[in-house]
Amino acid sequence: MHKIYILMIIRILVLCLILAIIELYAFQAFKTIIKTRFILVSYQVVSAMILAFIIYSFMQFDRSVGQTSQTMRTMGLVLLIYLPKIILTLVLFGEDIFRIGAGSVNHFANYNDSISFLASRRKFVSQIGLGIAAVPFLSLIYGVTVGKYNYKVIKQAIFFPDLPDAFDGFTITQISDVHSGSFDNPEKINYAIDLVNAQNSDMILFTGDIVNTDAKEMHPWIDTFKRIKKHEYGKYSVLGNHDYGEYVTWPSEAAKEENFQAIKNLYGQIDFKLMLNEHTFIEKGTDKIALIGVENWGTNFKKVGDINLASANLTKEDFKILMSHDPSHWDIEVQNHPKHFQLTLSGHTHGFQFGIEIPGVIKWSPIQYIYKHWAGLYENMGRYIYVNRGFGFHAYSGRVGIMPEITVIQLKKGKNVA
């Protein structure tokens, strides 16, 4: 215990040092441009008040409750204030490296002893830093006001040589990562459900995370999601990592289990068939495909998915669609599985809710350094995974660059022409 406290104190001291450096550099940027004392003092006072509020809010976090609207607002405030300041710090730190280098050259060359070792900060560098920092600042404001409900319908055709003939052109709508406990705008959610219904797909699949933690989070939204119309070939779902109630402290194991059972029941209450390490056949005419649903399996999260149990009695030749919430499952087990799972549908990453996507130009998010497959379609030896960017949001109550997604996948017979 003594070592734990020492490590905790060291971490707090390191964090305080980092924050102090960030605040110092950010203040230097403002001080270089603004000379009015009142404005500078006001900046320092406001910065101190914001930091105190953030510390107080995090100290109030109750692990028995989990994420609340207050914690999401606090996280949004942390990003809004400190991401721009970190950028300012990097720009000014780069200038300091240059100043130290130039000062060293001048000192050892004895060009001019009357010039101080460190040159004064240049105003234009601070202006550039503030200009760059304004981009994430304004983007994060957009993310919490508009981006989080800026739903995009993404259509993706995928070609398979072994697709049964009757399923050529078959369409699937996929939603994932609803996180109903984060919602705060019924009008926008109803609009999203209308978008889902407007796709008129043959089947709809929901790849997990109906709540953040507690089944009660979904109760205000059950009637809304029941509006998802009946699809001709069914409505199916699997569990996500948040559906197991792992991220809060429960008063007892019995309470945790009761919540878990209630969460599983939620899927049925919105008319989705929850698949728990099992499969079913979707039949069209004389042809059929196997739909497989596993419980959550992730390298960093709960591993209860059993692909072998779920695909028992299926053969390599059967055409298979697998629902597995976490795309790391595809990386580790699925893509090289001897039974040849032609298509896997996942979610989980949310695309980090932050990144840059310009089709055909750039696709980047910090999440790509954690998950190799994090958004969109990927292929390996004729086996595909599609990772949905998520319907809702979690932790940060916004989306920047990576918009909430409703996916429409069309199965096509033949070879991929790309």
Side-chain angles (χ1 to χ4, degrees), residues 293-360:
V294 295
E295 292 195 55
N296 192 76
W297 193 106
T299 54
N300 299 313
F301 297 94
K302 198 173 185 72
K303 293 181 175 68
V304 285
D306 189 333
I307 192 170
N308 294 316
L309 173 63
S311 62
N313 301 320
L314 294 178
T315 68
K316 181 180 179 181
E317 288 70 32
D318 290 317
F319 189 91
K320 296 172 286 296
I321 297 175
L322 171 68
M323 290 189 290
S324 182
H325 177 73
D326 190 321
S328 64
H329 190 203
W330 192 76
D331 299 340
I332 305 301
E333 277 198 341
V334 177
Q335 66 174 322
N336 295 313
H337 196 282
K339 282 193 176 179
H340 188 86
F341 293 86
Q342 286 89 340
L343 175 61
T344 300
L345 300 179
S346 298
H348 181 64
T349 70
H350 301 203
F352 202 65
Q353 298 170 210
F354 183 91
I356 303 171
E357 275 198 280
I358 303 175

Side-chain angles (χ1 to χ4, degrees), residues 233-253:
Y233 292 91
K235 301 164 65 174
Y236 297 91
S237 61
V238 291
L239 297 171
N241 56 301
H242 280 268
D243 294 331
Y244 294 85
E246 295 285 305
Y247 307 114
V248 299
T249 301
W250 295 95
S252 65
E253 280 299 315

Side-chain angles (χ1 to χ4, degrees), residues 44-210:
Q44 289 176 307
V45 171
V46 171
S47 294
M49 291 174 64
I50 291 174
L51 180 58
F53 173 77
I54 289 171
I55 293 173
Y56 171 78
S57 295
F58 279 126
M59 289 178 64
Q60 298 304 304
F61 180 76
D62 186 349
R63 184 159 173 79
S64 67
V65 175
Q67 176 182 283
T68 64
S69 57
Q70 177 64 27
T71 57
M72 285 203 299
R73 283 194 293 267
T74 301
M75 182 58 68
L77 184 62
V78 169
L79 292 171
L80 183 65
I81 299 300
Y82 283 100
L83 185 56
K85 286 186 176 183
I86 289 171
I87 291 173
L88 277 176
T89 298
L90 293 174
V91 172
L92 267 64
F93 182 72
E95 183 190 22
D96 280 349
I97 293 175
F98 177 82
R99 291 164 71 203
I100 292 170
S104 299
V105 170
N106 180 67
H107 176 76
F108 290 109
N110 294 312
Y111 287 147
N112 191 339
D113 292 336
S114 64
I115 299 176
S116 62
F117 180 77
L118 278 181
S120 300
R121 287 202 179 279
R122 290 166 292 181
K123 183 177 180 179
F124 85 92
V125 174
S126 294
Q127 289 173 327
I128 290 172
L130 286 167
I132 297 173
V135 174
F137 181 80
L138 295 174
S139 297
L140 288 164
I141 291 176
Y142 168 85
V144 298
T145 55
V146 178
K148 64 183 179 182
Y149 292 127
N150 186 16
Y151 292 96
K152 301 296 182 184
V153 176
I154 298 180
K155 297 186 178 184
Q156 178 71 62
I158 311 176
F159 290 80
F160 301 94
D162 55 346
L163 180 70
D165 292 339
F167 286 88
D168 187 14
F170 190 85
T171 54
I172 301 168
T173 292
Q174 181 196 7
I175 59 173
S176 191
D177 299 88
V178 163
H179 290 285
S180 55
S182 301
F183 293 155
D184 56 12
N185 191 323
E187 181 180 350
K188 295 294 185 181
I189 303 305
N190 273 290
Y191 164 73
I193 299 303
D194 289 340
L195 277 180
V196 170
N197 287 333
Q199 305 316 308
N200 293 314
S201 294
D202 295 306
M203 182 169 64
I204 184 166
L205 304 179
F206 180 178
T207 45
D209 277 358
I210 196 170

